[in-house]
Amino acid sequence: MTPQAQQRSSPRRCLALWFPFLPCERVKRTAPPDADLPFALVARVGQALRLAALERDGASHGLAVGMTLADARARCPDLVTAPHDPPEDARLLAVLAGRMARFTPMVALDPPDGLVLDITGCAHLFGGEAALARLAISEAGLTTRPALASHAAAARALARFERGQAGGEEALRIRALPITALELPEASLSGLRRAGLKHLGDLASRPMGSLAARFGEEAVAKLRAILGEAGSPIVARARPVPIRADIRFAEPIGRTQDVLEVAEALLEDTARQMEARRLGGRRFVLRLERADGALRHLAVETALPTRDAAPVVRLLRERLENLADPLDPGFGFDAMALAVPRHEPLAARQTSSEAEDREEETIAALLDRLATRLGEGAILRLHPRDRHSPEKAQALVAAARGLPGATQAPALPRPLFLFDPPQEVSAIAGVPDGPPLRFTWRGRAHEVRLAEGPERIAPEWWRHAQGHLPETPLLTRDYYRVEDSAGYRFWLFRHGLFEEQTHPRWYLHGLFS
């Protein structure tokens, strides 16, 4: 029996997976807060910070999604919070969808926190539906509520709104669901409750026409979908087609020059594929199959996305010449393949003779050659970070990950030279919250002639609450750009406000050129 005929003969079965605490569990994976304290994610809504996601025991502390942060802290003073990041949640959901592809090719995203799998004809490969559901939960590694049904809308509603132990006839379980399973606006749900309709079964027993006239077409459409009277197709997550080119030879080849010439031809093939998708390659992997079945892989990376074969061939030549274990062709290579597993958007651009463009490409080519010879981790660069503290605003990353793009510059000038840690100085200010009039650094007194500021930088209280900062006082900093009578320019800050401590300390953080 063909797979198509088997699928037609098998009743449709769908598995819905709901991850109710996905946002909080994602954050706790990477930066776990104190396990003994309640935890929530916050987002700005209008002019107020509100709770956007809670962990499992949030309700037991009197917390609810949508509550203002001020009200939440009044109910739960020990609450630990972190910023809500929906794009990161979406990326994690996409990763989970990719993992589920081992069970079925029909995997659909149910954002922001769910997946729906069409497992028709697949469950027997894993020991049955229950066993497949257990494997899927284990693969996800998150708190998961699964549900099985004969169509996607019912499975989704059961996973999200069924309470108590699942079991019994599917139709009865669906009719027992609360009307919140329709996911209608609160005004519509209130109207249904006032009419005495509490469960989907109460709605299903009434004529659809009268329901539509009284409560709207949307309520009827969602009800019919959950009951299975209307279609609920799954739009499977499209898996990207890999960028790849390969070739087989009638006679094996063995010379390095021949290998590079074939690699250039494969690169031109992949360049056409990338051009059609407006992509540029960042990582290129050359696979060589020897006549005796042995495999060799050569991988190179570029600092900038590219579709040009010439620089990649130069990097492959560098890699071949610097291999600790020389490339042994044996009886020759009878097949080669080139894949581009890492790529980035690269739109077509007009060739320019501007010096800046040439300089950027020259630097990128130099970084590529150095990284190929010395290793990716040997060449580092500074990368901007989204942090308040100036000393934490940059991090060292591998230069091969890409040249720094255009980033938002600070609103006020920063010195090129920073002290790490900032150096304490003795300073005297004319007024308690004003700039310093004079300060002493390394035994030398400096009279301040000009001063600009303050630039106030608040502490990162949310990171401090999760143990991200060292054990230093959590105080506000007021930064001043000052120039002394000799013309030297300094960047000083007062650590703490007078409301926070009686005698705030002063520190020198940087020197202007």
Side-chain angles (χ1 to χ4, degrees):
M1 181 181 293
T2 64
Q4 293 82 358
Q6 183 179 2
Q7 185 169 353
R8 285 196 299 269
S9 62
S10 302
R12 187 184 179 199
R13 298 295 290 169
C14 292
L15 170 65
L17 301 174
W18 180 38
F19 312 109
F21 311 112
L22 181 147
C24 288
E25 290 181 348
R26 175 189 60 78
V27 174
K28 294 176 79 170
R29 274 179 169 184
T30 56
D34 191 331
D36 297 330
L37 298 177
F39 179 64
L41 301 183
V42 298
R44 182 168 294 279
V45 180
Q47 298 300 316
L49 286 174
R50 296 184 179 272
L51 302 190
L54 298 172
E55 58 182 346
R56 184 192 301 271
D57 59 347
S60 64
H61 296 282
L63 307 177
V65 172
M67 179 183 295
T68 64
L69 180 58
D71 290 343
R73 291 199 181 279
R75 298 189 182 191
C76 186
D78 295 332
L79 178 65
V80 176
T81 63
H84 186 213
D85 193 346
E88 284 299 320
D89 294 342
R91 277 189 278 272
L92 175 56
L93 191 63
V95 170
L96 295 176
R99 293 179 184 174
M100 299 304 152
R102 59 170 290 204
F103 305 113
T104 173
M106 296 292 290
V107 180
L109 296 174
D110 182 20
D113 51 13
L115 299 172
V116 179
L117 288 65
D118 189 334
I119 60 171
T120 306
C122 301
H124 68 281
L125 301 173
F126 303 93
E129 293 181 350
L132 190 154
R134 288 193 296 270
L135 289 172
I137 294 172
S138 177
E139 188 72 30
L142 300 174
T143 302
T144 309
R145 292 184 185 174
L148 288 155
S150 56
H151 54 281
R156 183 185 186 280
L158 289 169
R160 292 171 179 266
F161 298 98
E162 188 175 34
R163 297 295 178 262
Q165 187 68 28
E169 186 180 347
E170 178 181 312
L172 296 178
R173 292 167 56 201
I174 292 174
R175 288 173 174 265
L177 289 174
I179 57 173
T180 51
L182 297 175
E183 298 183 89
L184 296 171
E186 184 56 37
S188 301
L189 293 176
S190 298
L192 292 171
R193 295 190 188 98
R194 286 195 299 270
L197 305 173
K198 298 181 180 179
H199 302 93
L200 298 190
D202 300 335
L203 293 171
S205 62
R206 286 165 170 73
M208 295 295 173
S210 61
L211 289 177
R214 185 171 180 182
F215 301 108
E217 293 287 346
E218 183 183 9
V220 173
K222 291 189 173 183
L223 175 64
R224 295 188 65 225
I226 296 175
L227 295 175
E229 298 176 3
S232 55
I234 288 180
V235 181
R237 175 175 172 265
R239 302 184 68 181
V241 178
I243 300 173
R244 176 186 172 89
D246 52 37
I247 188 172
R248 288 195 170 273
F249 310 113
E251 294 291 337
I253 63 173
R255 293 194 316 132
T256 299
Q257 185 59 35
D258 293 338
V259 169
L260 292 174
E261 289 178 0
V262 174
E264 186 171 8
L266 295 176
L267 283 164
E268 291 173 355
D269 190 347
T270 58
R272 288 189 289 270
Q273 300 176 39
M274 290 188 287
E275 185 176 11
R277 306 188 202 180
R278 297 186 177 183
L279 297 173
R282 288 287 311 279
R283 179 176 173 83
F284 301 82
V285 180
L286 183 65
R287 172 190 170 108
L288 301 102
E289 300 182 17
R290 262 183 7 189
D292 60 358
L295 299 177
R296 291 299 302 268
H297 293 84
L298 296 175
V300 295
E301 296 190 2
T302 60
L304 295 175
T306 182
R307 293 193 289 262
D308 189 0
V312 181
V313 170
R314 286 197 295 270
L315 293 177
L316 287 172
R317 186 185 297 275
E318 292 270 359
R319 179 56 52 85
L320 285 170
E321 292 175 352
N322 290 278
L323 282 177
D325 180 17
L327 190 65
D328 180 12
F331 295 104
F333 301 108
D334 58 6
M336 289 174 54
L338 181 78
V340 189
R342 184 180 173 197
H343 41 71
E344 295 177 0
L346 179 63
R349 65 176 184 177
Q350 184 177 0
T351 303
S352 171
S353 59
E354 294 293 334
E356 306 86 56
D357 293 343
R358 294 199 304 272
E359 181 181 359
E360 183 181 32
E361 293 173 0
T362 301
I363 294 174
L366 175 62
L367 290 175
D368 294 341
R369 296 187 65 183
L370 291 174
T372 301
R373 290 187 178 187
L374 305 176
E376 179 182 342
I379 312 299
L380 304 176
R381 65 172 175 83
L382 287 172
H383 181 71
R385 302 170 68 196
D386 187 14
R387 299 292 295 270
H388 285 194
S389 303
E391 63 269 26
K392 300 180 184 296
Q394 292 180 320
L396 286 172
V397 299
R401 294 183 184 177
L403 293 175
T407 56
Q408 185 175 2
L412 297 172
R414 293 281 190 269
L416 294 178
F417 183 86
L418 290 180
F419 291 106
D420 185 20
Q423 299 190 6
E424 187 171 0
V425 299
S426 174
I428 299 175
V431 293
D433 57 351
L437 298 179
R438 65 182 64 87
F439 65 94
T440 302
W441 174 50
R442 294 180 177 177
R444 180 181 174 183
H446 297 264
E447 295 289 335
V448 175
R449 186 170 64 91
L450 298 172
E452 291 180 292
E455 176 189 357
R456 179 161 295 177
I457 297 181
E460 297 176 319
W461 53 266
W462 59 93
R463 297 183 186 274
H464 186 278
Q466 298 180 46
H468 284 207
L469 292 181
E471 295 181 358
T472 56
L474 193 64
L475 302 176
T476 302
R477 298 179 183 180
D478 275 354
Y479 278 87
Y480 293 90
R481 296 177 303 282
V482 304
E483 181 177 317
D484 68 2
S485 55
Y488 295 105
R489 301 177 67 221
F490 305 87
W491 202 39
L492 299 123
F493 69 87
R494 179 177 52 239
H495 194 211
L497 306 178
F498 277 89
E499 308 90 77
E500 297 172 334
Q501 51 184 1
T502 308
H503 300 290
R505 296 182 176 181
W506 285 85
Y507 291 86
L508 176 62
H509 203 165
L511 302 176
F512 289 95
S513 58

